[in-house]
Amino acid sequence: MRWTILAYDHATGSDHEVIEWEVEVDRQEEADHERVLGWNLAAMMEQDLEAAEKLWRERAKERAHLSAECTEDKVEQEAAWCLEAMSSVLNSTAKKIRICARSKRWWNTDIKERRKAVGREKRRRRNSEEATRAKAELQKSIRRSKSQMWSDYLQNLRGAEVWRAAQYANPRAGRTVEALMDREGRQANTAVEKEEMLRRESFPPNDNDQYYELPPAGSAHMRVTEQAVERALLSQSVKKAPGPDKLSFGAIRLLWKWDKERIVWLTKAAIRTGRHPAVWTHASGVVNCKPGKEDYTKLKAYRSISLLSCMGKVVEKVVAELLLEEAESRRLLSDEQFGSRKGRSAIDAAAIMVDRAHAAWTNGHITGVVLMDIKAAFPSVAKGRLVNLTKVRQMDGDLIRWTESFLSERTVEMIIEGNAMERHPVEAGVPQGSPVSPILFAIYTSGLIK
């Protein structure tokens, strides 16, 4: 920063002087603090969509779809190519969603024009009535835009998504406090210390896991149809946050419209070869506050959600349906299990418990209920034990091999107070936020009841 007194060229006629300031802005440093969240697909015009489709078809015409005999390496290459090609197409035709310290999502054209009007009136007459009126209109426009954005957000929520609004209404949501304390009383103050503490809690090491060997390939891939893949894609909300690759479900739906056969063949090949491509195994760990906790300095008051690749989640959803179908048809789950099963819910479990209590009271018995909670349920799943359990249950080889690959070579970058931290390997657990994790956990815990 530099400053100079302009005493001779800008005489003021008083004892005041004009001071000229020069501020140097490091554009690269500013860009480094800017986060790109994806592409604004909703703002794409018809001609933009046509241009995007044309670019995709030009790139795709020289790359054949996967064959029924392709190898694991081909699956890896195809997944990586789809990611690179689709990102390139959107970079050329869609506006990026950028978030930085000055980002204001409620800013619009009307506010921009009113802001200019305020500047014009101030330059004409500093304290004029017109400038005061223009400033009032600007403030009114800002309040109206903020209110409209919040109203639109609430109106578009569906089902359980309404609880997400509490994260914005609650000032604690999505943020951590100045210091965190774990169960042993150790304290974390810096972002790096908090990242390590939260990561170890959400993604613990894989200690004392079992040795396993993979079974031969199965036939589950033969049950994958275009309708099943389409159902898996369209059942996912386009409002869900994308993973590190930035491709949202809106982008995957565009790809489905342009080249659905490519997605179907990739899904089939991934399940047949038992390979979950490496580009889909990277996750962003977003830290959220658990509601209703008394002390938010405690580590247990927070949970981490894994933001995964949306293309990978389409395949995960297909596998989840195949796993559930096999588990139900072969009665691999107990009738006492309610989670992750169609036509069953926590309400059913509570109704059965109440009915049994009433029956016991009718017969003159005293009834007691023992409630248990599995600590760090999803993060504690051991890969080797899960693989061996599915082998004991004699599940399809394709599904076992894919599950092992899905839980291997995973990495996570924690997002702490809006900042992406260093990437680390994940040794154990099924990721919170994956469509396949609930049914895998149900299979993992089925031995506790059967």
Side-chain angles (χ1 to χ4, degrees):
M1 180 183 295
R2 296 189 299 271
W3 60 276
T4 305
I5 298 177
L6 305 178
Y8 300 105
D9 298 335
H10 296 77
T12 62
S14 69
D15 57 351
H16 293 248
E17 301 290 353
V18 176
I19 301 177
E20 181 181 71
W21 296 85
E22 292 185 20
V23 180
E24 294 183 359
V25 178
D26 189 337
R27 296 296 182 184
Q28 182 58 45
E29 181 180 355
E30 185 178 16
D32 292 341
H33 287 83
E34 181 181 72
R35 291 180 59 204
V36 177
L37 302 183
W39 296 268
N40 189 358
L41 304 181
M44 294 181 70
M45 307 296 288
E46 188 66 32
Q47 58 267 29
D48 299 326
L49 294 171
E50 291 176 356
E53 181 177 2
K54 181 179 179 181
L55 280 177
W56 173 264
R57 296 194 182 283
E58 288 176 354
R59 297 199 60 162
K61 67 182 180 182
E62 298 180 358
R63 186 176 182 87
H65 296 161
L66 292 177
S67 67
E69 296 82 24
C70 67
T71 63
E72 292 183 18
D73 290 340
K74 291 294 184 181
V75 173
E76 288 280 2
Q77 294 168 13
E78 179 72 356
W81 180 85
C82 287
L83 168 60
E84 185 277 329
M86 192 62 183
S87 299
S88 176
V89 167
L90 293 178
N91 280 335
S92 301
T93 57
K95 184 178 181 180
K96 290 182 179 179
I97 301 175
R98 303 177 186 272
I99 298 295
C100 66
R102 302 188 306 278
S103 296
K104 296 177 178 62
R105 293 176 180 245
W106 42 264
W107 191 270
N108 56 34
T109 305
D110 180 61
I111 295 175
K112 182 179 179 180
E113 293 303 320
R114 293 189 183 278
R115 179 69 180 84
K116 290 181 179 179
V118 170
R120 285 195 299 268
E121 293 300 332
K122 282 186 175 182
R123 286 191 295 271
R124 290 174 183 170
R125 293 176 186 165
R126 185 177 298 271
N127 298 316
S128 69
E129 185 177 330
E130 289 79 3
T132 302
R133 189 182 301 111
K135 185 177 181 180
E137 290 297 325
L138 171 62
Q139 293 172 341
K140 186 187 299 183
S141 181
I142 290 174
R143 288 195 297 270
R144 184 167 55 246
S145 178
K146 288 182 177 180
S147 177
Q148 185 63 45
M149 174 167 284
W150 178 246
S151 177
D152 291 344
Y153 172 75
L154 293 179
Q155 290 293 330
N156 290 323
L157 293 177
R158 296 292 182 270
E161 291 180 348
V162 296
W163 300 109
R164 230 180 264 168
Q167 296 180 3
Y168 299 100
N170 180 0
R172 286 189 180 276
R175 301 180 60 186
T176 54
V177 292
E178 290 301 318
L180 284 177
M181 187 174 296
D182 64 12
R183 292 177 173 84
E184 287 73 35
R186 293 188 294 265
Q187 186 167 301
N189 297 296
T190 67
V192 174
E193 291 173 345
K194 287 188 281 187
E195 184 271 344
E196 182 177 3
M197 187 176 288
L198 288 163
R199 175 169 48 82
R200 289 187 178 276
E201 178 75 9
S202 303
F203 306 97
N206 190 13
D207 296 329
N208 302 318
D209 198 3
Q210 296 178 356
Y211 170 80
Y212 64 88
E213 292 183 357
L214 291 176
S219 59
H221 68 278
M222 299 176 66
R223 304 202 301 272
V224 177
T225 64
E226 179 181 314
Q227 292 74 23
V229 180
E230 183 175 32
R231 188 166 58 249
L233 171 58
L234 299 185
S235 65
Q236 308 275 0
S237 172
V238 295
K239 298 176 184 176
K240 288 186 176 180
D245 60 17
K246 309 295 189 299
L247 289 178
S248 66
F249 279 111
I252 306 303
R253 288 190 182 190
L254 284 178
L255 181 54
W256 177 262
K257 180 181 178 182
W258 302 337
D259 202 350
K260 66 174 66 176
E261 293 83 2
R262 186 177 299 278
I263 298 179
V264 173
W265 279 107
L266 177 56
T267 303
K268 286 184 177 181
I271 297 174
R272 180 183 60 80
T273 60
R275 185 65 181 176
H276 195 66
V279 293
W280 298 344
T281 60
H282 307 310
S284 296
V286 178
V287 180
N288 289 326
C289 304
K290 296 179 181 178
K293 296 297 181 180
E294 295 182 358
D295 188 356
Y296 282 92
T297 64
K298 302 295 185 183
L299 186 61
K300 62 182 180 181
Y302 300 88
R303 69 161 57 93
S304 296
I305 302 297
S306 294
L307 300 183
L308 305 165
S309 166
C310 291
M311 185 66 244
K313 288 171 78 171
V314 172
V315 179
E316 293 161 31
K317 183 73 171 180
V318 172
V319 174
E321 292 291 334
L322 294 173
L323 285 168
L324 182 60
E325 177 186 326
E326 181 164 347
E328 295 287 8
S329 64
R330 296 180 50 210
R331 300 186 65 83
L332 300 180
L333 301 176
S334 169
D335 289 337
E336 307 299 321
Q337 285 185 269
F338 291 86
S340 313
R341 303 178 70 178
K342 293 180 179 179
R344 296 169 181 248
S345 68
I347 296 176
D348 298 314
I352 291 175
M353 181 185 69
V354 171
D355 181 69
R356 290 179 178 178
H358 286 170
W361 293 340
T362 301
N363 295 324
H365 300 305
I366 297 175
T367 303
V369 177
V370 178
L371 302 176
M372 296 184 295
D373 179 53
I374 300 178
K375 174 185 173 183
F378 279 19
S380 300
V381 173
K383 178 178 65 175
R385 295 179 184 180
L386 177 59
V387 170
N388 286 332
L389 181 61
T390 55
K391 288 175 63 178
V392 169
R393 298 282 194 270
Q394 297 182 343
M395 300 192 74
D396 188 277
D398 284 353
L399 301 179
I400 297 176
R401 294 162 67 90
W402 181 90
T403 298
E404 190 276 338
S405 176
F406 170 67
L407 298 179
S408 300
E409 302 176 7
R410 291 174 50 224
T411 63
V412 63
E413 60 175 15
M414 300 295 291
I415 308 297
I416 305 296
E417 297 170 356
N419 298 314
M421 309 301 285
E422 183 180 351
R423 186 173 295 280
H424 293 273
V426 177
E427 299 178 8
V430 291
Q432 294 267 11
S434 169
V436 78
S437 292
I439 183 60
L440 288 178
F441 184 73
I443 295 171
Y444 188 73
T445 56
S446 60
L448 298 175
I449 303 175
K450 285 185 72 70

